[in-house]
Amino acid sequence: MARRALLGICIAAVAIGFACGPALASTVTLTTLEARVLQLVNYERTKRGLVPLRAQYNLMRAARAHTRNMATIPFFSHISPSGLTPAARAIAFGYTVSGFRSWRLGENIAWATWTCVTPEQIVRGWMNSASHRAVILTACFRDIGIGVVSSSLTPDGRRTLGARYYTIDLGRRIS
């Protein structure tokens, strides 16, 4: 079997929202892969003069759940098979709109196999895509949720070795 690297990055990055303003901080325990994604995303932001993102508990839960679903069902989309959008997921996991005068959310997803599964390859792929780069470099975002899940399935359900799915949910809420 040829070791062919596959990289699937969703072309249509999602950005939903309204105006920008201060965010709420949160302390979250990250896996090694999640921490590396955060480090790489923040490197891209700070080298352009943007504020670094902070892991936010509710967005972490939403991103992890969506990534786990994509890896196990399997599918590859911002919209889950049950019809949940990134905004609906974020709200369902507690990143609520209620009580805030504005709310903004963006999401990037990716999946890869073999040598393309590293956080470095995924973030590089996002930065090489105009729509994904725009989500990462949205100046008003302050919060991030990250999900990284290893799988033995491709998005179309074929068996493979070394697949990994990624989700980042970026957000901002203003009181």
Side-chain angles (χ1 to χ4, degrees), residues 28-47:
V28 178
T29 302
L30 303 175
T31 68
T32 302
L33 292 172
E34 291 167 347
R36 184 65 177 145
V37 170
L38 178 59
Q39 180 183 33
L40 293 165
V41 166
N42 279 338
Y43 171 77
E44 294 296 341
R45 289 177 60 85
T46 58
K47 80 179 186 182

Side-chain angles (χ1 to χ4, degrees), residues 36-170:
R36 184 65 177 145
V37 170
L38 178 59
Q39 180 183 33
L40 293 165
V41 166
N42 279 338
Y43 171 77
E44 294 296 341
R45 289 177 60 85
T46 58
K47 80 179 186 182
R48 291 167 175 86
L50 300 173
V51 174
L53 302 171
R54 300 171 297 211
Q56 199 280 342
Y57 177 74
N58 298 313
L59 286 180
M60 288 298 298
R61 292 174 55 219
R64 286 170 173 168
H66 186 60
T67 310
R68 195 171 36 254
N69 285 343
M70 285 193 300
T72 57
I73 289 179
F75 70 99
F76 185 69
S77 175
H78 291 286
I79 313 282
S80 72
S82 65
L84 284 178
T85 64
R89 277 193 306 278
I91 291 166
F93 280 98
Y95 199 76
T96 60
V97 177
S98 180
F100 295 91
R101 64 183 165 89
S102 68
W103 185 90
R104 186 170 173 117
L105 181 76
E107 178 175 88
N108 285 347
I109 59 175
W111 79 275
T113 61
W114 298 103
T115 59
C116 294
V117 299
T118 67
E120 291 78 8
Q121 291 287 339
I122 297 303
V123 173
R124 185 177 303 119
W126 284 333
M127 293 307 292
N128 287 331
S129 159
S131 59
H132 293 89
R133 184 175 52 255
V135 171
I136 290 170
L137 300 180
T138 297
C140 71
F141 288 148
R142 296 294 183 271
D143 302 327
I144 190 170
I146 305 160
V148 181
V149 174
S150 295
S151 178
S152 61
L153 297 173
T154 64
D156 62 3
R158 290 180 290 121
R159 292 255 176 231
T160 188
L161 296 175
R164 197 173 284 153
Y165 290 76
Y166 290 78
T167 302
I168 57 171
D169 289 327
L170 295 80

